[in-house]
Amino acid sequence: MPLKVYNNLTRKKEEFAPIDPSLVKMYVCGITPYDETHLGHARAYVTFDIIKRHLEYSGYKVKHIQNITDIDDKIIKKAKINDQSISEVAEHYSNSFFEVMDKLNIKRADVYPKATEHIKEMIGWIKGLQDKGFAYELNGDVYFEVQKFKGYGKLSKHKMEDQQAGARVELDARKKDPLDFALWKAAKPDEPYWLSPWGNGRPGWHIECSVMSTKYLGEQFDIHGGGLDLQFPHHENEIAQTEALTGKAPWVKYWLHNGFVVINQQKMSKSLGNFFTLIDIYKKFDPMVVRFFLLSTHYRSPLNFSDAQLKEAEEAYQKLTSTIDNLDFLISKVKTAENDVEVAETDDELAVYKRKFGEMMDDDFNTAGAIGVIFELVKFINDHVKEEKIDKESLMHDKQMIIGFCDLLGINLVGKTSSGDQSFNIEKLIEERNQARGGKNFKRADEIRKQLEDNGIILEDTAYGTKWRKNA
RNA sequence: GGCGCGGUACCCAAGUGGUAAGGGAACUGUCUGCAAAACAGUCAUUCGGCGGUUCAAAUCCGCCCCGCGCCUCCA
């Protein structure tokens, strides 16, 4: 079954076919490091992490570029408040970004190009656009003239004449068209600047993505991604600049956008101030729970956030870890198989889940459906584990299957269970309790259970002996 | 005004023509000294509403209601 992706340019699910059949080139819009990373960012980057992982699983090599906008009004403002340089601010929040992303088990991009390291190339592009008649200068500012680019609006489906320009933002009367956007901004006093043919200034926001993506991926590539909020104007403007300059269309074959994180039915956003940083969320929840939560809804749908919903994700995630925990315990207790027949039979049945899982992921990265398959598998395994003739090999295959699926989703299950832990006291108390139980001294047995429980240890008596786990 | 997204059980959520996955919660049962975990059963004759097309609709078409997003910076 072929991989299908929803292309926002055509508004259709399309069969995925990269320009170079063996290498997928993907550019994802990165952060502006002026504040802590929040759940909305996490959703975006988990989404593209999943896309990358599934492409790799499907046999493609993926070249992944993600920019860092390290020069911007908000960074300048923050630097003034903190009495720091803009690079100090950018570096601080970039580092923090990588820290929280690593905890979410997000694979690093191949290159994280910074805007400030590509100013020369940007100036070159802007000059090129000016030479071709797509840009004009106004007192040190340079604007892209939208009317000159006939495809403007093709991504966001905006018709220029229908736009209510100035509906929310004050018009700049000097511009030829309200939709014209800045390629270069003249420096105001007190602002950092670079030298340019138009005087001291700095690049506009959109130009960096065009310049850096084509620098690392070529003039045409496969996937360009980001949050849905970037569709207009950012991505629309990027298309206009790039196709105007290179003359090659389409610049990008597939445009992928993730949906918003929503709080009380409102978009989580910086400007509304209703955002939750990952640093704060991690104080209450394991990053893997956060990742599981983000993947439990399809990436294009809005995702409602609340503690209660994270709590539900935690319960579900723990069902997975406890299954692995139980399997580990059984594996340590059960005999090896007497013949290969039983193992092979189980493997045949497991193959069904593998197929279903793959179909879900091939259908526009349907992680929510794929998680559903994992739980079907868990149910199947727990059921067949009850059989008396269960053997070590089958159990190990079962375990590997669950871990394998979770790996494809970047969900780490290993290291979350308590089976690897050693604690002399716990084992000793369990032994004492079992002696008490043997002598029908249930009062003492329950005392020990309570004592361990108070220390966060839950005991479970099974047919194969007593196992313990940490209380979550 | 333009463009677009969404409305599936108590909650979350998959499903875009073939008769409603999965998770959480709840209740009942099996197991257990008691628990826990696990398993079994119950939990939407129904998918915002009303019409239409079809042998067949949550899925297609039309109208309507509700919520949200973009058209400023935002993942």
Side-chain angles (χ1 to χ4, degrees):
Chain A
M1 193 177 156
L3 170 62
K4 287 190 169 178
V5 302
Y6 183 84
N7 187 354
N8 225 352
L9 188 62
T10 57
R11 306 287 162 101
K12 285 190 189 96
K13 270 187 202 171
E14 296 176 14
E15 206 165 298
F16 183 74
I19 297 164
D20 174 344
S22 64
L23 177 68
V24 177
K25 295 174 181 173
M26 175 168 93
Y27 183 87
V28 180
C29 280
I31 52 156
T32 302
Y34 72 100
D35 204 348
E36 292 299 346
T37 309
H38 62 72
L39 192 62
H41 299 115
R43 183 168 199 207
Y45 301 118
V46 165
T47 294
F48 289 97
D49 185 58
I50 280 294
I51 289 170
K52 180 174 170 180
R53 282 170 188 268
H54 188 59
L55 289 171
E56 286 174 346
Y57 172 74
S58 306
Y60 297 107
K61 277 204 161 54
V62 178
K63 189 168 184 187
H64 170 198
I65 310 297
Q66 188 169 312
N67 67 302
I68 295 178
T69 304
D70 60 348
I71 173 67
D72 164 272
D73 286 349
K74 295 180 290 285
I75 296 179
I76 294 170
K77 193 174 158 196
K78 192 82 171 199
K80 275 183 188 154
I81 293 170
N82 290 3
D83 196 25
Q84 286 177 308
S85 70
I86 56 163
S87 58
E88 281 171 329
V89 171
E91 197 174 333
H92 171 79
Y93 290 112
S94 295
N95 289 341
S96 176
F97 169 77
F98 285 118
E99 239 173 76
V100 293
M101 290 291 117
D102 286 348
K103 285 184 178 156
L104 280 177
N105 199 19
I106 288 171
K107 289 185 167 191
R108 296 265 179 132
D110 295 281
V111 186
Y112 288 96
K114 292 177 183 165
T116 55
E117 292 170 2
H118 296 79
I119 303 286
K120 270 205 176 105
E121 286 104 316
M122 291 190 230
I123 290 172
W125 269 60
I126 297 167
K127 272 194 331 212
L129 285 167
Q130 225 177 348
D131 291 346
K132 287 198 165 190
F134 286 103
Y136 58 92
E137 187 193 345
L138 277 175
N139 305 321
D141 290 339
V142 183
Y143 291 96
F144 185 92
E145 189 171 350
V146 180
Q147 293 288 357
K148 291 275 172 72
F149 182 72
K150 62 179 185 319
Y152 196 78
K154 66 182 177 183
L155 174 65
S156 57
K157 315 301 174 204
H158 284 169
K159 292 189 186 104
M160 291 175 63
E161 58 273 23
D162 289 336
Q163 291 298 292
Q164 212 168 50
R168 295 169 65 194
V169 69
E170 211 175 312
L171 290 175
D172 182 347
R174 304 173 309 153
K175 292 199 285 186
K176 294 186 182 177
D177 186 291
L179 287 169
D180 290 351
F181 56 91
L183 295 165
W184 188 261
K185 298 160 100 164
K188 299 187 186 96
D190 247 25
E191 282 184 353
Y193 61 83
W194 287 262
L195 300 176
S196 82
W198 316 283
N200 295 338
R202 59 193 158 89
W205 172 37
H206 314 293
I207 193 71
E208 64 172 274
C209 286
S210 295
V211 169
M212 299 195 290
S213 63
T214 54
K215 173 174 177 179
Y216 294 97
L217 297 175
E219 289 188 338
Q220 290 177 295
F221 55 91
D222 303 298
I223 295 175
H224 193 130
L228 195 54
D229 43 3
L230 298 181
Q231 184 184 56
F232 191 92
H234 184 51
H235 289 161
E236 196 68 63
N237 292 351
E238 287 184 47
I239 291 175
Q241 293 165 343
T242 312
E243 294 185 359
L245 189 77
T246 67
K248 290 182 183 166
W251 168 44
V252 170
K253 196 167 180 187
Y254 305 99
W255 284 89
L256 273 47
H257 294 103
N258 62 277
F260 300 126
V261 175
V262 166
I263 293 182
N264 294 327
Q265 299 191 317
Q266 273 197 313
K267 177 188 167 190
M268 177 184 289
S269 77
K270 290 290 204 180
S271 28
L272 287 168
N274 61 347
F275 60 93
F276 288 78
T277 68
L278 291 174
I279 288 178
D280 284 342
I281 292 172
Y282 291 170
K283 286 174 188 163
K284 287 181 177 169
F285 296 97
D286 186 298
M288 277 302 117
V289 169
V290 176
R291 185 175 176 106
F292 183 95
F293 168 71
L294 292 171
L295 293 176
S296 62
T297 300
H298 186 88
Y299 77 90
R300 285 191 283 114
S301 302
L303 171 63
N304 208 51
F305 167 80
S306 68
D307 267 20
Q309 260 141 32
L310 264 181
K311 188 76 193 153
E312 282 191 11
E314 187 172 57
E315 303 277 356
Y317 174 72
Q318 278 166 3
K319 180 162 182 157
L320 260 26
T321 56
S322 77
T323 300
I324 296 298
D325 209 19
N326 291 341
L327 285 172
D328 275 338
F329 182 77
L330 285 172
I331 286 167
S332 72
K333 300 290 182 189
V334 143
K335 289 182 196 142
T336 53
E338 285 169 14
N339 56 60
D340 297 336
V341 179
E342 293 291 330
V343 181
E345 273 179 15
T346 316
D347 284 355
D348 282 348
E349 290 174 283
L350 293 182
V352 173
Y353 297 98
K354 188 168 181 173
R355 199 200 74 234
K356 285 171 86 174
F357 186 92
E359 281 172 2
M360 288 296 179
M361 292 303 285
D362 277 344
D363 183 13
D364 195 31
F365 315 102
N366 187 350
T367 53
I371 286 172
V373 176
I374 294 177
F375 282 107
E376 286 177 34
L377 170 70
V378 163
K379 190 159 202 156
F380 169 78
I381 288 173
N382 278 326
D383 192 32
H384 112 265
V385 149
K386 287 171 70 183
E387 293 167 21
E388 288 184 0
K389 55 190 175 185
I390 193 70
D391 60 85
K392 198 184 283 271
E393 282 69 25
S394 295
L395 291 172
M396 281 163 65
H397 287 205
D398 290 345
K399 179 187 164 186
Q400 211 39 58
M401 190 85 178
I402 297 173
I403 289 178
F405 281 165
C406 288
D407 272 352
L408 293 175
L409 297 178
I411 294 170
N412 198 347
L413 254 30
V414 184
K416 297 294 176 188
T417 60
S418 48
S419 47
D421 289 8
Q422 286 298 326
S423 175
F424 178 72
N425 274 335
I426 294 170
E427 296 298 339
K428 208 176 153 187
L429 283 165
I430 286 174
E431 197 186 320
E432 187 189 336
R433 175 170 166 275
N434 280 334
Q435 276 175 13
R437 289 171 73 215
K440 304 259 183 218
N441 185 358
F442 297 123
K443 184 166 175 278
R444 177 61 190 148
D446 287 345
E447 269 173 22
I448 293 171
R449 184 203 287 285
K450 182 73 171 49
Q451 185 189 342
L452 285 168
E453 194 181 325
D454 289 345
N455 288 295
I457 303 294
I458 303 292
L459 296 185
E460 296 177 10
D461 297 322
T462 79
Y464 296 94
T466 301
K467 74 188 280 283
W468 63 270
R469 63 185 167 85
K470 284 178 183 161
N471 191 8

